[in-house]
Amino acid sequence: MILSIVIVSAYANEKRPVKHVGKNIVAKMPDTTLSFSGYTWVVKAPAGQAYPGPNYWNRAYAWVDGSGFLHLKLALNPETNRWECAEVHTTQSLGYGTYQWQVESDLGAFDKNIVLGMFNFSGNERHDEMDIEIARWGNAAWDNLNYTIWPATGSTAVRLVNISSFSTPNGTYTTHRFNRTSTSVKLQGLYGFVNNDDNQFQAVTFNSPKTSISTLAMPVYMSLWLFNGLAPSNGQDVEVIIHSFTFTAL
C-alpha cells in the first residue's frame, strides 16, 4: 500500500530542497548535444561545480546506446577522483499535454543521496516547474517518490509537494508521467512499460486555484545527481536507462 501526503509547510522545504537548476557557480563549456526519442538534448557540462547539488557534471555520463536508449550515469571519476553527475534538457519547449518516461533501474533501492529528476522548468528559479523526483534527500528513512508543482511566474503562492514511498518488487521497468493543462497537473507512476493506466502505483492531481500552475511552454529535463553534492553512502556508481521519452500534445 502506498501512503502519500501533500506538504505546503516548512517541512516541505526541509525534505525537498530547492534544486537551483539554472544557476551555475562557473560558466559552462560549449554545448554538447545528443538525439534521443526524436528530440535534441543539451548535455550539462559546466567547467566546475554547478547546481543542483552543487555537483560536478560529466558530459560523457549521458549517452545514447545502439538501441536508442538514453543512459545517465553517476560515478566516481578515476581521473578526477570526484563524483560526477549527468543532466540533459531539450532544446525545444513543450506545453500542454502528456509527458512520459519509461525507465529501467532499481529506483526503489537508490542510495539516500541519489536523486533522479524528470521535470520541466522555465529557468525562473522557484517558479514554473513540474517535478517527478526519486529521492530520499539524505535520509534513508524518508519516502522516495516526490511530486512537486512550483508556482507560475508572478505568483506569490508556495509550491505544493506530494511525497509517497514506492519500491520495484516486479522488476526494474517503471513508467512515469504527468499530464498538464492550464488548470491541472496529474502525475502518475506505473509498474512496467505501459501507455495506459495498467499497474498504476501512484496518481496525484494538483488543481488550480489551490495550486498555482504555470502556463508556459518549457524545456524538459532529466537529471541524475547527488543531494548536497554528497557521495553515495554505499560508495556505488548508479546508472539509469531511459528507454523512451514521449510528449503527446493536447
Side-chain angles (χ1 to χ4, degrees), residues 101-114:
W101 294 261
Q102 295 188 329
V103 182
E104 179 183 353
S105 182
D106 191 359
L107 302 180
F110 269 9
D111 181 82
K112 66 180 182 178
N113 293 331
I114 302 296

Side-chain angles (χ1 to χ4, degrees), residues 43-83:
V43 181
K44 192 182 190 82
Q49 282 186 302
Y51 286 103
N55 282 286
Y56 292 99
W57 305 84
N58 190 326
R59 70 184 70 204
Y61 287 0
W63 73 94
V64 176
D65 67 22
S67 297
F69 304 153
L70 174 67
H71 294 244
L72 299 177
K73 180 179 177 180
L74 186 158
L76 181 64
N77 186 334
E79 296 181 359
T80 63
N81 199 34
R82 301 184 308 216
W83 286 92

Side-chain angles (χ1 to χ4, degrees), residues 4 145 147 162 186-189 200-205:
S4 62
L145 180 59
Y147 294 156
N162 180 280
K186 179 180 180 180
L187 305 99
Q188 295 174 272
Q200 178 176 278
F201 60 80
Q202 181 62 306
V204 176
T205 301

Side-chain angles (χ1 to χ4, degrees), residues 28-248:
K28 67 183 180 68
M29 301 296 285
D31 285 345
T32 295
T33 62
L34 56 81
S35 295
F36 169 65
S37 282
Y39 295 90
T40 299
W41 304 76
V42 176
V43 181
K44 192 182 190 82
Q49 282 186 302
Y51 286 103
N55 282 286
Y56 292 99
W57 305 84
N58 190 326
R59 70 184 70 204
Y61 287 0
W63 73 94
V64 176
D65 67 22
S67 297
F69 304 153
L70 174 67
H71 294 244
L72 299 177
K73 180 179 177 180
L74 186 158
L76 181 64
N77 186 334
E79 296 181 359
T80 63
N81 199 34
R82 301 184 308 216
W83 286 92
E84 297 175 354
C85 306
E87 179 180 284
V88 298
H89 72 267
T90 57
T91 57
Q92 182 178 350
S93 293
L94 304 177
Y96 302 139
T98 300
Y99 299 66
Q100 178 173 283
W101 294 261
Q102 295 188 329
V103 182
E104 179 183 353
S105 182
D106 191 359
L107 302 180
F110 269 9
D111 181 82
K112 66 180 182 178
N113 293 331
I114 302 296
V115 183
L116 173 66
M118 296 166 283
F119 56 100
N120 58 4
F121 178 51
S122 71
N124 184 12
E125 205 63 59
R126 300 174 186 262
H127 293 85
D128 307 317
E129 189 173 346
M130 301 160 193
D131 284 317
I132 300 170
E133 289 169 306
I134 315 301
R136 298 188 189 275
W137 310 117
N139 189 326
W142 279 350
D143 294 336
N144 61 341
L145 180 59
N146 303 263
Y147 294 156
T148 307
I149 307 299
W150 289 87
T153 292
S155 171
T156 58
V158 298
R159 64 184 176 181
L160 286 185
V161 183
N162 180 280
I163 303 170
S164 60
S165 182
F166 88 104
S167 59
T168 48
N170 300 315
T172 58
Y173 285 13
T174 52
T175 298
H176 304 267
R177 73 169 73 108
F178 64 79
N179 177 272
R180 60 175 295 214
T181 72
S182 61
T183 59
S184 69
V185 183
K186 179 180 180 180
L187 305 99
Q188 295 174 272
L190 310 101
Y191 291 124
F193 288 170
V194 296
N195 295 313
N196 52 28
D197 291 341
D198 290 349
N199 304 320
Q200 178 176 278
F201 60 80
Q202 181 62 306
V204 176
T205 301
F206 297 87
N207 294 293
S208 63
K210 182 179 179 180
T211 306
S212 173
I213 295 174
S214 178
T215 59
L216 299 178
M218 297 179 275
V220 176
Y221 287 75
M222 291 179 277
S223 185
L224 184 64
W225 55 283
L226 291 165
F227 171 65
N228 282 347
L230 298 171
S233 63
N234 61 10
Q236 299 297 308
D237 297 354
V238 175
E239 187 173 322
V240 173
I241 304 173
I242 313 294
H243 283 235
S244 69
F245 166 76
T246 57
F247 170 70
T248 305

